[in-house]
Amino acid sequence: MTATSAGTNPHWWVPTRIDFGAGRLRDVPLEVERAGRPVAVIVDERAEAAAPGIAPLLERLSPELLIRRAASTPTRQEAEELSKRLRESGVRSVCAVGGGTVLDLAKAAAAAAALPGLLSGWRPGGGFVLPQPVTRGGLPVVAVPTTAATGSEVNAKASLADGGDRRFLVHWSLFPRVAVIDPILHTSLPPALTAEGALETVARLLVPMVSDPPTTALPDEIAVGQIRAVVPAADRALADGDDLEARGTIALAASVSTFTVHQIGRHQHSFWIWYPTNTLTAHGLRKGPALGVLLTRWARLVVDGDKLAGHADRLADLGGRALGLTGASVTPTQAADALVGLLRRWGFPTEFEELGLDTTAEELTEQTWRAWSEPLQPRTREQVRALFEGA
């Protein structure tokens, strides 16, 4: 591989083994045995009640420690307390069943159970926590996602609330040992969560593709191909929640897009819309509505010629192809309109007023910049403000 400039992503991480396919939930007990017993299971209460097969799975696993919780952003204190429980109970592995927040909690606690300093001594301010490397990993985690969105089942990240801030813990010990991805588990997802997960995957692919030209053309085509697969799959899943092929496509894309192969040769923080989106979710919004509004404004900034927001020619060509537009004369405006049309078709707001937030663009800008200014650069505070003001 050729030399890359500072901040450019030269690699992708794929240390988590993926067990994918309808019915693969049956493999979880074997994966737990491989990871080691005694085992602790952390499960999403909603998923346990709604997703087919989870209640019988828990009976088969007969965990030494069973923790049920609601799907909400875990706090650093909660993760630290859970890590102590894991240590005291003497478990050798953790099985996490649920959406991204449950998986994040399990990963952070499992890592900290073996690495007690991971969740302590955090410096105040800033959104990222990057502990020093260590010579051993945490407890092995078997991740069983019941949603298809964040890709937490295959990444080394955990979003944790820390006081009034949302922090992003990044450490190699957070990679799960294995991810068992069974689209049957996703058939119980309501349409709103189905669309939200698909949109998060589309955004994770589209924004870097338009904002940051790579050093080679392959990442562009990988991003285009995944979006072209996800959009019609989401349409089918919204029409028929039991469409396993569509569910599988969405689930696999959520994981594969998290490997960042589409970001090879781009800046490592090229999915920069994630940071202001995180500010909005900290105000109680779901990620889907937040992304709907910010993606709409982002596309308008690109059309208006804001090169730091993105390249209009790439929105027209690559974005147009990804969103199903054909012909050699697709314009940036047409591609932006196609994106807004997709957002509305999937039921997301596209204007800031629809969010009903009791806060100002200036306040949102300051919160975003205080937490995420470093990865947002070279974009400026003024540009972030324009994103909120125009949204």
Side-chain angles (χ1 to χ4, degrees):
M1 181 171 290
T2 58
T4 54
S5 60
T8 299
N9 180 29
H11 59 253
W12 71 93
W13 284 88
V14 209
T16 301
R17 179 167 55 85
I18 289 182
D19 183 5
F20 169 78
R24 303 319 298 187
L25 189 67
R26 64 177 178 267
D27 296 341
V28 173
L30 176 59
E31 297 297 349
V32 167
E33 294 298 326
R34 287 171 173 168
R37 297 193 71 116
V39 63
V41 173
I42 304 168
V43 63
D44 180 337
E45 293 174 331
R46 189 210 71 85
E48 181 183 1
I54 291 183
L57 171 67
L58 297 181
E59 292 184 11
R60 288 183 62 194
L61 290 178
S62 185
E64 285 73 16
L65 181 61
L66 176 60
I67 297 164
R68 295 178 171 92
R69 78 182 298 274
S72 59
T73 300
T75 66
R76 178 167 68 98
Q77 181 179 3
E78 181 185 7
E80 197 161 25
E81 290 174 352
L82 179 55
S83 73
K84 293 177 182 177
R85 278 187 78 182
L86 297 178
R87 279 197 301 273
E88 292 168 356
S89 64
V91 300
R92 295 178 56 199
S93 67
V94 175
C95 179
V97 184
T101 58
V102 170
L103 300 188
D104 282 0
L105 171 63
K107 294 191 310 183
L115 310 169
L118 195 68
L119 295 171
S120 60
W122 287 11
R123 296 179 180 177
F128 280 94
V129 181
L130 305 166
Q132 292 296 316
V134 293
T135 57
R136 60 193 175 93
L139 297 177
V141 172
V142 177
V144 186
T146 58
T147 61
T150 67
S152 180
E153 65 274 7
V154 295
N155 68 31
K157 305 167 184 176
S159 179
L160 303 174
D162 185 31
D165 294 325
R166 189 78 61 87
R167 308 294 295 277
F168 209 40
L169 175 64
V170 183
H171 195 258
W172 70 271
S173 63
L174 270 66
F175 280 114
R177 173 75 60 84
V178 60
V180 179
I181 303 174
D182 188 337
I184 293 177
L185 296 181
H186 303 170
T187 57
S188 65
L189 287 174
L193 293 184
T194 298
E196 186 171 292
L199 178 60
E200 184 169 354
T201 297
V202 168
R204 187 159 56 234
L205 295 161
L206 180 64
V207 173
M209 182 177 69
V210 172
S211 297
D212 194 353
T215 56
T216 178
L218 185 59
D220 284 340
E221 297 306 317
I222 290 171
V224 168
Q226 288 187 79
I227 295 171
R228 285 177 61 86
V230 168
V231 171
D235 285 336
R236 295 199 307 275
L238 290 171
D240 177 8
D242 292 324
D243 187 329
L244 287 181
E245 193 281 329
R247 292 286 189 186
T249 296
I250 299 168
L252 196 56
S255 294
V256 172
S257 64
T258 307
F259 290 156
T260 67
V261 62
H262 67 283
Q263 284 189 266
I264 289 293
R266 307 187 201 274
H267 192 279
Q268 60 183 347
H269 298 299
S270 56
F271 183 28
W272 65 280
I273 292 293
W274 184 91
Y275 304 100
T277 300
N278 193 72
T279 298
L280 292 180
T281 59
H283 281 268
L285 291 177
R286 290 202 57 85
K287 195 173 295 182
L291 272 173
V293 168
L294 292 179
L295 283 172
T296 300
R297 178 53 182 166
W298 165 75
R300 291 171 182 166
L301 290 174
V302 174
V303 169
D304 290 344
D306 186 335
K307 291 294 182 61
L308 288 179
H311 300 264
D313 58 335
R314 296 178 69 79
L315 178 62
D317 175 22
L318 300 169
R321 283 200 287 129
L323 295 169
L325 301 181
T326 59
S329 58
V330 174
T331 67
T333 298
Q334 289 173 324
D337 289 345
L339 175 61
V340 173
L342 175 68
L343 295 168
R344 290 173 176 161
R345 184 168 83 239
W346 286 355
F348 295 110
T350 56
E351 298 298 335
F352 193 82
E353 291 74 17
E354 297 177 69
L355 297 178
L357 280 179
D358 185 22
T359 187
T360 67
E362 183 62 32
E363 290 170 336
L364 294 172
T365 300
E366 291 307 308
Q367 292 168 17
T368 304
W369 199 256
R370 178 173 58 83
W372 309 110
S373 56
E374 183 175 349
L376 280 167
Q377 294 173 5
R379 295 162 191 94
T380 64
R381 187 193 305 258
E382 288 68 32
Q383 190 172 40
V384 173
R385 183 183 295 107
L387 191 68
F388 285 122
E389 287 178 343

